[in-house]
Amino acid sequence: MVGRRATPMVDLLRSGNDARAVIREMFVGTVDDITGDGRHLACLIVGASMERAHQDQRVADRLRSTTQSLESALYDLLAEAQRRGQSRSARSATDLAGFLVTSLQGLRMMGAINPDRAALTRYAEVALTCLD
């Protein structure tokens, strides 16, 4: 089962649009989520991972499923972009997808600590350089 925040991301990634534009939109949307409501809360994945995943197998399974769904959708998008010559990265789609999910979750964690929109946007742009 995919989580509430991950479902729209997976749908976006599977939209068939340009990989770089879609991934940028996913990161911008994440920055908007972090800074937009004034509460600056980390997402369930970050919070549950830190608090409960090591002690509760159901939580761990849910988190793994959600993360794998997002990573799988990223992999499909990136692999297709590589097949079409739209990605210049020499990295495998598997490694890129894993890195982007890790970066996305790190962005959420950092946003909970310091919800500086400009800084988070810069960090997201750095993550996108892996597609070059």
Side-chain angles (χ1 to χ4, degrees), residues 2-129:
V2 180
R4 177 177 62 90
R5 291 187 189 257
T7 298
M9 285 185 195
V10 169
D11 291 345
L12 174 65
L13 294 169
R14 298 200 185 282
S15 68
N17 294 328
D18 175 71
R20 187 176 191 82
V22 166
I23 294 168
R24 175 174 271 114
E25 186 176 341
M26 180 181 70
F27 273 88
V28 168
T30 298
V31 171
D32 289 346
D33 283 348
I34 294 166
T35 62
D37 66 5
R39 294 177 9 191
H40 316 300
L41 300 175
C43 75
L44 176 63
I45 291 175
V46 173
S49 294
M50 300 306 289
E51 293 292 327
R52 303 212 30 224
H54 299 288
Q55 301 168 351
D56 186 329
Q57 189 59 47
R58 289 183 312 155
V59 170
D61 291 344
R62 175 78 183 265
L63 294 170
R64 190 174 301 107
S65 173
T66 298
T67 302
Q68 287 173 343
S69 294
L70 185 55
E71 194 167 329
S72 176
L74 272 164
Y75 168 82
D76 291 345
L77 179 67
L78 292 164
E80 182 62 24
Q82 287 176 335
R83 279 192 291 277
R84 292 182 178 181
Q86 297 169 341
S87 173
R88 297 182 303 255
S89 178
R91 301 271 184 196
S92 71
T94 300
D95 290 346
L96 289 171
F99 172 75
L100 289 169
V101 169
T102 300
S103 297
L104 193 66
Q105 296 309 331
L107 193 68
R108 287 193 178 281
M109 185 189 72
M110 293 308 294
I113 295 167
N114 182 18
D116 178 335
R117 181 179 197 77
L120 295 172
T121 300
R122 287 192 313 272
Y123 306 153
E125 289 297 324
V126 171
L128 291 171
T129 64

